[in-house]
């Protein structure tokens, strides 16, 4: 975020510098450029860079993801304080799943434990362990048991979680269950 701040300031000074050259050239031509030209160009540089970063954030993040992570959902939003987002909504959040490192349960090969990663602009990445039941199909948030727990994973999942149904065309189901079935 510090580098983005520095780049934003540099973009503002860069375009203000262009306006400064324009004002000097206009003096040589015998005309005076308006006094507000330099601050206007500085502001355009700052806003232009920030809008560019807002729209390219998703692509930059996806390019940095390891090959094991698959994007399964992205959320596009429009807000009143970003009027340009009504023309083209911005992707401010997305979800990725670690499909290659999904572990099948030893007792039930239809149940997989995997991690979801929640990405949001200007926030830390959140990791959410998930239990996927390919036979149901359903998913549940996995709560890591206490160290003193004597329950097996199946008993722990059965007692402490709420299952949410998945459809067979849900990207989470497809990336975990169909990939795991294809590997067998």
């Amino acid at each position: 975020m510090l580098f983005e701040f520095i780049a934003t300031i540099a973009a503002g000074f860069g375009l203000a510098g262009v306006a400064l050259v324009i004002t000097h050239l206009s003096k040589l031509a015998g005309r005076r450029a308006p006094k507000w030209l330099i601050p206007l160009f500085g502001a355009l540089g700052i806003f232009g860079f920030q809008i560019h970063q807002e729209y390219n954030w998703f692509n930059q993040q996806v390019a940095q993801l390891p090959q094991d992570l698959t994007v399964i959902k992205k959320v596009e939003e429009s807000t009143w304080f970003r009027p340009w987002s009504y023309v083209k909504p911005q992707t401010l959040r997305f979800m990725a799943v670690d499909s290659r490192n999904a572990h099948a349960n030893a007792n039930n090969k239809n149940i997989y434990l995997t991690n979801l990663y929640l990405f949001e602009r200007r926030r830390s990445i959140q990791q959410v362990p998930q239990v996927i039941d390919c036979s149901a199909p359903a998913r549940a948030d996995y709560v890591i048991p206490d160290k003193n727990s004597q329950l097996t994973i199946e008993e722990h999942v059965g007692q402490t979680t709420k299952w949410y149904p998945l459809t067979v065309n849900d990207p989470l189901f497809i990336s975990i269950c169909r990939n795991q079935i294809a590997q067998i």
Side-chain angles (χ1 to χ4, degrees):
M1 194 150 149
L2 176 66
F3 293 124
E4 186 175 335
F5 176 73
I6 292 169
T8 302
I9 299 301
F13 276 116
L15 268 179
V18 169
L20 187 62
V21 169
I22 292 171
T23 57
H24 284 297
L25 290 176
S26 68
K27 282 181 187 177
L28 291 176
R31 296 186 157 253
R32 286 194 74 88
K35 291 182 178 183
W36 47 262
L37 191 65
I38 294 173
L40 175 70
F41 272 53
L44 287 175
I46 289 171
F47 279 112
F49 181 76
Q50 278 299 306
I51 292 169
H52 175 267
Q53 285 300 102
E54 292 285 335
Y55 279 106
N56 288 321
W57 170 80
F58 172 72
N59 294 330
Q60 292 169 356
Q61 290 295 314
V62 169
Q64 294 175 359
L65 291 178
Q67 290 181 343
D68 297 345
L69 293 182
T70 306
V71 176
I72 58 171
K73 185 176 182 178
K74 69 178 191 173
V75 178
E76 293 182 336
E77 294 180 355
S78 298
T79 55
W80 66 270
F81 55 89
R82 292 181 183 120
W84 52 87
S85 67
Y86 287 106
V87 176
K88 183 179 182 218
Q90 296 172 296
T91 302
L92 299 177
R93 295 189 309 262
F94 71 95
M95 187 183 320
V97 65
D98 191 358
S99 57
R100 289 196 184 184
N101 293 323
H103 299 291
N105 188 311
N107 298 330
N108 186 349
K109 297 292 183 185
N110 288 325
I111 295 181
Y112 291 91
L113 182 62
T114 189
N115 288 318
L116 282 180
Y117 295 94
L118 308 176
F119 294 82
E120 189 169 352
R121 178 111 169 104
R122 294 191 175 99
R123 295 227 174 146
S124 298
I125 302 168
Q126 293 180 343
Q127 179 181 343
V128 182
Q130 292 285 296
V131 178
I132 310 296
D133 185 352
C134 294
S135 61
R139 72 161 186 86
D141 295 333
Y142 180 67
V143 179
I144 299 172
D146 293 335
K147 294 179 184 177
N148 301 330
S149 176
Q150 300 297 320
L151 298 175
T152 65
I153 290 177
E154 294 87 13
E155 292 169 341
H156 178 70
V157 168
Q159 292 179 6
T160 62
T161 60
K162 180 180 180 205
W163 288 93
Y164 301 97
L166 292 173
T167 60
V168 291
N169 59 355
D170 188 290
L172 180 59
F173 176 81
I174 292 169
S175 63
I176 298 298
C177 298
R178 292 202 180 149
N179 287 344
Q180 301 303 333
I181 292 169
Q183 292 176 1
I184 298 175

